[in-house]
Structures are given as C-alpha cells and as structure tokens.
Amino acid sequence: MRIGIIGGGVAGLGCAYFLAARGHQVEVFEQAPALGGLAGCFDFDGLQVEKYYLFICRDDVDLIALLAEVGLAGELEWRAGTMKFFYRGTLYP
C-alpha cells in the first residue's frame, strides 16, 4: 500500500517508520527545509536552539527502545536537571 504522511515531525516520522517496517511504501511530506518539527532546532547567531522545550526521561522506555532500534540511542545525552520552582517565597529543586 502507498501511504503519504503529512508532517516530518516526531509523530510523522514515527508513523512512517512503523508503516515502512510493515512493508508499506511511505512518503513523508514536510513544508519546512528540515525534518524534526518542534523537536528540531534553529540557528541563533551560530548557536543551535531548540524550537520547543523537549526532553526524554529515563522512564520513556518505548522511545528509548525506538531510538536504539534506529541507531540513535548513542546520541542521547543524560544530564541532571537544574530547573527549580518558586512557591510561596521558597525555591524548590
């Protein structure tokens, strides 16, 4: 079966990957010059900045398994969180 996927973000690429793995002929249509959707980056005076704040938790086992399956698990970089929140005059980690 021939299937067209509109949008080359994470969801569109994931759909295309799983459909192609099941033997379908898949074509992804993306209007932007690069794939990735909101998971992509843009150039800000030579610095690559995320389009949207995205992160992967260690508990996201399905996504981590998919990244391993497509050979991208080695690209993950685990960092300790540095965000805090402020509530009623106190800053919490």
Side-chain angles (χ1 to χ4, degrees):
M1 178 182 287
R2 294 182 63 205
I3 300 170
I5 305 289
I6 299 173
V10 174
L13 293 174
C15 287
Y17 175 78
F18 287 113
L19 288 167
R22 286 163 180 73
H24 300 289
Q25 183 182 353
V26 181
E27 189 168 353
V28 176
F29 299 92
E30 172 57 52
Q31 71 174 356
L35 297 173
L38 291 177
C41 297
F42 63 92
D43 182 77
F44 184 74
D45 197 27
L47 177 68
Q48 292 295 305
V49 178
E50 298 168 328
K51 292 180 184 175
Y52 187 77
Y53 181 72
L54 299 168
F55 66 94
I56 299 172
C57 295
R58 291 185 188 270
D59 291 340
D60 294 332
V61 293
D62 292 328
L63 180 55
I64 294 168
L66 175 60
L67 291 172
E69 189 173 321
V70 298
L72 293 174
E75 299 296 318
L76 290 173
E77 186 175 322
W78 298 106
R79 296 183 180 186
T82 58
M83 295 181 66
K84 300 177 180 356
F85 67 94
F86 187 75
Y87 178 71
R88 294 189 178 185
T90 303
L91 191 60
Y92 296 91

